[in-house]
Structures are given as C-alpha cells and as structure tokens.
Amino acid sequence: FFSAFRSVMSEPAAKKAKLSCSAALSFPRHSAPTFPRRRMFNGFFAPTPTPYNDDGSVNLDLIPVLGEKLVADGADGVFINGTAGEGVLLAPADRKAMTEAWVKFAGPKATRKLKIISHVGEENGPATKDLAAHAQAAGVDGIACMSPCIFKPKSVVSLVDWLADIASACPSTPFIYYHCTFLTGPSFRCFDILRACDLAIPNMKGCKFTDRDIGDLATCLQYFPDMDIFPAFDNQLLMSCLLGADAFVSCGVNLIAPMYKACFNLVRAGKLEEAKAVMARIIDFWERCETYSSGVYSKIGHLAKWLVGLKLGG
C-alpha cells in the first residue's frame, strides 16, 4: 500500500518536473560527484536553539546539557546555527564557537553521539564562505546554506551560482541546500533548484525542505532517491513518512523526539492507524504550546526552560 501510495503521489509530478527544468544554466558542470550516490543521513535531527546567558552572550556550557538530553531522547543529530538557533543574528565568532562546541560534545566521527549539520547562511558571500570553511575544518558532518534573504536571487540560475560558490569553500563536506521560502522569499521549486545543484555542485547531498508544497517534496523524494531530503515542518511528519522520507529536521525533536520516532516506526511497520493517532498527539502538543508562547522558536526556548531547566533562545 505505502509503496503504491508514494508512486501515485510523486511519479506524475516527477515526470512533469523532469520536462520543465530546461533553462540554460550558466555555471560549469562538475565532472563527478564527491560522494557516493546514496543517502548519507537518516533519522531525526534537532534544529537546536542557541543557549544564552542573562546578559545575552552565548552560553556554551549548556551545549553538553542539551546534547545529552537529545541523545537520551533518541535524536540522531543536530542542525545548528539555523533559524531555530537564530544563526543569522549571531556574530560570526559566536557561530564558530557554537560549531566547535557541538563538535567537541559529539566526539570523533567514528563514534559520534550525534551527527552535526551546521548552517552557514549569511547575506554576505565572503562571510558565508568563511563560515563554511571553518565548519569543514571543525569536522561537522554536513554544511547547509539558505538563499540570501534581502537581495534575493532573481532566478534558479542565480541562486545556484550563489550556492555553488559557497559549496566551493567546503569541498570535502556534504553540502545541503536549506529550502525555506517563507523566510528567504524566492518561490522557485525545490526540485528545480536541486536538479541544477546536482549538475553544478560536486559535494551536493540534499536539502532541508521547509515549505508547505507537498507536491514539490514528493517530487524531490521520488526523483532524487540518492539525496538526503529533510522535511522540516512538524505537521507534515506523517505525510513525509508516507512519501518515503527517512531523515527529518523538526523543531519538536528538541522536546518530544520519542513521539516523532514512534510515528516514523509505525508507518514503516504498516500500522497507519496507530501512526495517525501519534501524529494527532504531536499536533495537539503544538496547539497547546500556543497557550504559552507565540512563534515556534520562542516556544522551543520557553518550553525547554520549563520542562528541562535550559535557558535557550533569545
């Protein structure tokens, strides 16, 4: 049933998309991909908030505390310096310190407690490349970058030119496009961006998909089975599982990771009714959160303080 469902949902869209992405690309094609044609990430990644001291400075001492909680909850990795972590509001030195602290906590790659994806997106190209080079040197498992938010790319080609330039600063680390159109603005389909990135960026490995276009997500999962596609919206978890996703970056992993993993495992076991019941509980959890705070990132910080005693978020 699930295989047939995924095929019905995504194959026609993939065929249509395959024919529609025919614009000339200005960047040079790479000769061969850096990494094997297979997925490199799986499981649930927490987009971690940044811990602060009372004076507003970054509190690196709380990273091991948050990290151990995530490990205990069964999280598989962290997505640091992203929107939940207010990365674009931090000084570059603080972002670098956050990266180093998480790598130190996670340990050597061979025995790492949590995989680490570091977001390096900035409005300034050289600053973004500097953060990417630093993250690679620090030893992260993946590097993510979103589109500029103010001076927005006018086409898929200009966006991919930007991403390719950033990825060139971290050539030996998997590169992940952060697709977040409701913040960055460009309304290009993620499929079109990934198809162009696949041609232009040797170390391209996938995307964090933060968008409400389920058809676009289905197309990406169907057409790029060897890329790591991370659905991000919490209320899309069940549908993403049905479409074949096996890696996620979801805010709720910071707080209720076992429920997210339970939903995923039930779908894989073919227990759809039970999975729907867990999904309903996840949605109810987030609706109740509205009572205490407005804005998802603020909620994470407030709930973390109330539930586990961590002062997180601005």
Side-chain angles (χ1 to χ4, degrees):
F1 168 79
F2 298 109
S3 177
F5 178 83
R6 289 193 291 269
S7 178
V8 168
M9 285 294 292
S10 55
E11 185 174 356
K15 288 181 177 178
K16 180 180 179 181
K18 184 176 181 181
L19 295 174
S20 68
C21 187
S22 57
L25 303 177
S26 65
F27 39 75
R29 274 71 163 173
H30 63 75
S31 57
T34 304
F35 302 104
R37 286 293 189 176
R38 59 176 175 80
R39 294 183 182 180
M40 300 180 67
F41 299 92
N42 59 71
F44 287 85
F45 285 65
T48 51
T50 296
Y52 293 102
N53 294 301
D54 289 336
D55 63 1
S57 60
V58 173
N59 185 351
L60 299 178
D61 293 335
L62 281 183
I63 288 176
V65 181
L66 176 57
E68 291 295 354
K69 178 198 180 300
L70 293 173
V71 171
D73 283 352
D76 300 285
V78 291
F79 187 97
I80 65 173
N81 292 324
T83 46
E86 302 165 314
V88 296
L89 302 180
L90 297 176
D94 285 334
R95 294 176 75 168
K96 291 178 179 180
M98 285 284 292
T99 300
E100 293 168 6
W102 274 108
V103 170
K104 180 180 179 180
F105 166 77
K109 283 189 177 182
T111 57
R112 184 156 281 181
K113 297 178 183 180
L114 295 166
K115 286 194 172 184
I116 302 168
I117 299 173
S118 181
H119 173 250
V120 299
E122 281 269 1
E123 293 299 304
N124 179 278
T128 305
K129 293 178 70 173
D130 180 60
L131 287 170
H134 172 269
Q136 175 171 277
V140 301
D141 299 283
I143 291 173
C145 185
M146 64 165 52
S147 166
C149 300
I150 299 176
F151 297 104
K152 301 175 177 62
K154 301 299 184 183
S155 66
V156 170
V157 171
S158 60
L159 173 56
V160 175
D161 278 337
W162 161 273
L163 295 171
D165 188 40
I166 305 307
S168 70
C170 52
S172 60
T173 303
F175 187 77
I176 296 163
Y177 163 58
Y178 185 177
H179 187 66
C180 189
T181 56
F182 78 98
L183 288 178
T184 60
S187 57
F188 317 126
R189 289 187 310 168
C190 189
F191 169 81
D192 294 324
I193 298 165
L194 287 184
R195 189 159 187 249
C197 284
D198 196 31
L199 296 172
I201 303 175
N203 53 329
M204 186 69 192
K205 280 306 297 173
C207 75
K208 177 176 183 265
F209 189 94
T210 310
D211 194 285
R212 303 198 182 280
D213 188 343
I214 287 291
D216 193 15
L217 173 62
T219 304
C220 292
L221 288 166
Q222 178 78 4
Y223 195 76
F224 300 107
D226 55 356
M227 281 195 180
D228 296 288
I229 312 295
F230 298 84
F233 279 135
D234 297 76
N235 60 5
Q236 293 178 352
L237 173 63
L238 179 57
M239 180 62 74
S240 300
C241 292
L242 289 169
L243 290 173
D246 59 8
F248 307 83
V249 177
S250 300
C251 288
V253 180
N254 287 290
L255 301 167
I256 51 172
M259 292 177 66
Y260 285 64
K261 294 176 77 77
C263 183
F264 174 81
N265 290 331
L266 287 167
V267 171
R268 285 302 169 94
K271 300 178 179 180
L272 183 56
E273 291 303 317
E274 293 178 48
K276 287 165 61 179
V278 174
M279 188 70 233
R281 292 174 59 198
I282 291 172
I283 292 173
D284 181 65
F285 171 83
W286 284 112
E287 288 181 347
R288 290 173 183 269
C289 289
E290 295 292 341
T291 304
Y292 302 103
S293 179
S294 61
V296 63
Y297 310 131
S298 179
K299 281 196 284 284
I300 295 171
H302 291 168
L303 288 171
K305 183 177 181 180
W306 294 333
L307 295 176
V308 293
L310 298 179
K311 182 176 176 57
L312 304 172

